[in-house]
Short mmCIF file of all heavy atoms in Angstrom, two decimals:
data_model
loop_
_atom_site.label_atom_id
_atom_site.label_comp_id
_atom_site.label_asym_id
_atom_site.label_seq_id
_atom_site.Cartn_x
_atom_site.Cartn_y
_atom_site.Cartn_z
N LEU G 277 10.70 18.47 -39.62
CA LEU G 277 9.78 17.91 -38.58
C LEU G 277 9.10 16.72 -39.04
O LEU G 277 8.92 15.80 -38.26
CB LEU G 277 8.72 19.00 -38.15
CG LEU G 277 8.05 18.33 -36.99
CD1 LEU G 277 8.74 18.81 -35.64
CD2 LEU G 277 6.62 18.73 -36.88
N GLU G 278 8.66 16.56 -40.34
CA GLU G 278 7.92 15.46 -40.74
C GLU G 278 8.64 14.23 -40.64
O GLU G 278 8.00 13.19 -40.07
CB GLU G 278 7.40 15.69 -42.21
CG GLU G 278 6.08 16.12 -42.24
CD GLU G 278 5.56 16.20 -43.70
OE1 GLU G 278 6.25 16.26 -44.63
OE2 GLU G 278 4.30 16.24 -43.82
N ASP G 279 9.93 14.19 -40.94
CA ASP G 279 10.66 12.96 -40.73
C ASP G 279 10.87 12.62 -39.38
O ASP G 279 10.72 11.46 -38.94
CB ASP G 279 12.13 13.21 -41.35
CG ASP G 279 12.22 13.11 -42.75
OD1 ASP G 279 11.12 12.65 -43.33
OD2 ASP G 279 13.17 13.54 -43.46
N PHE G 280 11.10 13.70 -38.51
CA PHE G 280 11.29 13.50 -37.12
C PHE G 280 9.94 12.88 -36.43
O PHE G 280 9.99 11.88 -35.71
CB PHE G 280 11.56 14.75 -36.47
CG PHE G 280 11.97 14.71 -35.01
CD1 PHE G 280 13.31 14.47 -34.67
CD2 PHE G 280 11.10 15.02 -33.97
CE1 PHE G 280 13.69 14.46 -33.32
CE2 PHE G 280 11.55 14.88 -32.71
CZ PHE G 280 12.75 14.62 -32.35
N ALA G 281 8.80 13.37 -36.89
CA ALA G 281 7.57 12.92 -36.29
C ALA G 281 7.31 11.50 -36.84
O ALA G 281 6.74 10.68 -36.06
CB ALA G 281 6.36 13.88 -36.87
N GLN G 282 7.58 11.20 -38.02
CA GLN G 282 7.25 9.85 -38.50
C GLN G 282 8.14 8.83 -37.71
O GLN G 282 7.64 7.85 -37.41
CB GLN G 282 7.57 9.89 -39.97
CG GLN G 282 6.92 8.64 -40.66
CD GLN G 282 7.33 8.40 -42.07
OE1 GLN G 282 7.83 9.37 -42.66
NE2 GLN G 282 6.96 7.28 -42.64
N ARG G 283 9.44 9.28 -37.53
CA ARG G 283 10.21 8.34 -36.79
C ARG G 283 9.61 8.04 -35.40
O ARG G 283 9.57 6.85 -35.05
CB ARG G 283 11.64 8.99 -36.65
CG ARG G 283 12.72 7.96 -36.70
CD ARG G 283 14.15 8.57 -36.64
NE ARG G 283 14.35 8.99 -35.24
CZ ARG G 283 15.15 10.09 -35.02
NH1 ARG G 283 15.52 10.83 -36.03
NH2 ARG G 283 15.35 10.43 -33.74
N TRP G 284 9.13 9.08 -34.75
CA TRP G 284 8.70 8.83 -33.42
C TRP G 284 7.27 8.15 -33.39
O TRP G 284 6.96 7.46 -32.53
CB TRP G 284 8.57 10.13 -32.55
CG TRP G 284 9.90 10.42 -32.03
CD1 TRP G 284 10.74 11.49 -32.34
CD2 TRP G 284 10.65 9.55 -31.08
NE1 TRP G 284 11.96 11.26 -31.62
CE2 TRP G 284 11.85 10.18 -30.86
CE3 TRP G 284 10.33 8.48 -30.41
CZ2 TRP G 284 12.80 9.68 -29.97
CZ3 TRP G 284 11.26 7.96 -29.47
CH2 TRP G 284 12.48 8.59 -29.24
N GLU G 285 6.43 8.42 -34.57
CA GLU G 285 5.21 7.73 -34.53
C GLU G 285 5.47 6.16 -34.71
O GLU G 285 4.73 5.38 -34.16
CB GLU G 285 4.50 8.16 -35.72
CG GLU G 285 3.04 8.43 -35.23
CD GLU G 285 2.05 9.12 -36.08
OE1 GLU G 285 2.38 10.03 -36.84
OE2 GLU G 285 0.90 8.70 -35.95
N GLU G 286 6.57 5.84 -35.40
CA GLU G 286 6.94 4.44 -35.53
C GLU G 286 7.56 3.80 -34.23
O GLU G 286 7.40 2.68 -33.90
CB GLU G 286 7.85 4.22 -36.57
CG GLU G 286 6.94 4.25 -37.96
CD GLU G 286 7.91 4.58 -39.27
OE1 GLU G 286 9.14 4.48 -39.04
OE2 GLU G 286 7.39 4.98 -40.32
N ASN G 287 8.37 4.74 -33.58
CA ASN G 287 9.18 4.29 -32.50
C ASN G 287 8.57 4.37 -31.04
O ASN G 287 9.17 3.91 -30.04
CB ASN G 287 10.53 4.96 -32.40
CG ASN G 287 11.37 4.55 -33.44
OD1 ASN G 287 11.21 3.50 -34.05
ND2 ASN G 287 12.58 5.27 -33.63
N ARG G 288 7.40 5.01 -31.03
CA ARG G 288 6.91 5.37 -29.78
C ARG G 288 6.70 4.09 -28.76
O ARG G 288 6.86 4.17 -27.62
CB ARG G 288 5.66 6.12 -29.81
CG ARG G 288 4.41 5.42 -30.49
CD ARG G 288 3.40 6.38 -30.98
NE ARG G 288 2.53 6.65 -29.78
CZ ARG G 288 1.33 7.17 -30.04
NH1 ARG G 288 0.79 7.18 -31.23
NH2 ARG G 288 0.49 7.42 -29.01
N GLU G 289 6.38 2.99 -29.50
CA GLU G 289 6.15 1.74 -28.64
C GLU G 289 7.37 1.30 -27.90
O GLU G 289 7.30 0.67 -26.84
CB GLU G 289 5.72 0.58 -29.57
CG GLU G 289 4.51 0.78 -30.47
CD GLU G 289 3.29 1.17 -29.77
OE1 GLU G 289 3.17 0.88 -28.50
OE2 GLU G 289 2.39 1.86 -30.39
N SER G 290 8.57 1.62 -28.45
CA SER G 290 9.80 1.26 -27.82
C SER G 290 10.15 2.04 -26.50
O SER G 290 11.14 1.69 -25.80
CB SER G 290 10.92 1.18 -28.85
OG SER G 290 11.23 2.55 -29.15
N LEU G 291 9.39 3.19 -26.34
CA LEU G 291 9.79 3.97 -25.18
C LEU G 291 9.23 3.31 -23.85
O LEU G 291 8.20 2.55 -23.93
CB LEU G 291 9.21 5.39 -25.36
CG LEU G 291 9.82 6.29 -26.33
CD1 LEU G 291 9.01 7.52 -26.61
CD2 LEU G 291 11.31 6.69 -25.87
N GLU G 292 9.82 3.70 -22.75
CA GLU G 292 9.31 3.10 -21.53
C GLU G 292 8.05 3.90 -20.96
O GLU G 292 7.54 3.53 -19.96
CB GLU G 292 10.42 3.38 -20.41
CG GLU G 292 11.51 2.37 -20.54
CD GLU G 292 11.41 1.29 -19.34
OE1 GLU G 292 11.57 1.76 -18.24
OE2 GLU G 292 11.21 0.24 -19.73
N TYR G 293 7.69 4.92 -21.61
CA TYR G 293 6.68 5.81 -21.29
C TYR G 293 5.72 6.18 -22.44
O TYR G 293 6.23 6.02 -23.63
CB TYR G 293 7.06 7.06 -20.51
CG TYR G 293 8.25 7.70 -21.24
CD1 TYR G 293 8.13 8.47 -22.19
CD2 TYR G 293 9.57 7.25 -20.84
CE1 TYR G 293 9.25 9.04 -22.92
CE2 TYR G 293 10.67 7.83 -21.41
CZ TYR G 293 10.48 8.69 -22.50
OH TYR G 293 11.65 9.20 -23.12
N GLU G 294 4.51 6.65 -22.34
CA GLU G 294 3.64 6.97 -23.37
C GLU G 294 3.91 8.36 -23.84
O GLU G 294 4.08 9.27 -22.96
CB GLU G 294 2.19 7.00 -22.87
CG GLU G 294 1.67 5.63 -22.44
CD GLU G 294 1.11 4.77 -23.46
OE1 GLU G 294 1.08 5.27 -24.73
OE2 GLU G 294 0.68 3.67 -23.19
N ILE G 295 3.90 8.52 -25.18
CA ILE G 295 3.92 9.95 -25.71
C ILE G 295 2.71 10.07 -26.60
O ILE G 295 2.29 9.15 -27.19
CB ILE G 295 5.23 10.28 -26.43
CG1 ILE G 295 5.45 9.31 -27.59
CG2 ILE G 295 6.34 10.33 -25.58
CD1 ILE G 295 6.67 9.75 -28.50
N ASP G 296 2.15 11.31 -26.65
CA ASP G 296 0.96 11.46 -27.58
C ASP G 296 1.24 12.44 -28.59
O ASP G 296 0.30 12.90 -29.30
CB ASP G 296 -0.25 11.89 -26.71
CG ASP G 296 -0.09 13.10 -26.02
OD1 ASP G 296 0.89 13.55 -25.76
OD2 ASP G 296 -1.13 13.72 -25.62
N GLY G 297 2.46 12.79 -28.81
CA GLY G 297 2.88 13.75 -29.97
C GLY G 297 4.19 14.32 -29.70
O GLY G 297 5.02 13.81 -28.89
#
Side-chain angles (χ1 to χ4, degrees):
L277 190 91
E278 261 188 337
D279 281 348
F280 191 84
Q282 201 185 344
R283 215 178 72 216
W284 278 112
E285 224 170 326
E286 283 159 13
N287 283 348
R288 61 197 279 205
E289 307 300 339
S290 65
L291 289 170
E292 283 254 293
Y293 41 85
E294 300 268 2
I295 57 172
D296 60 338

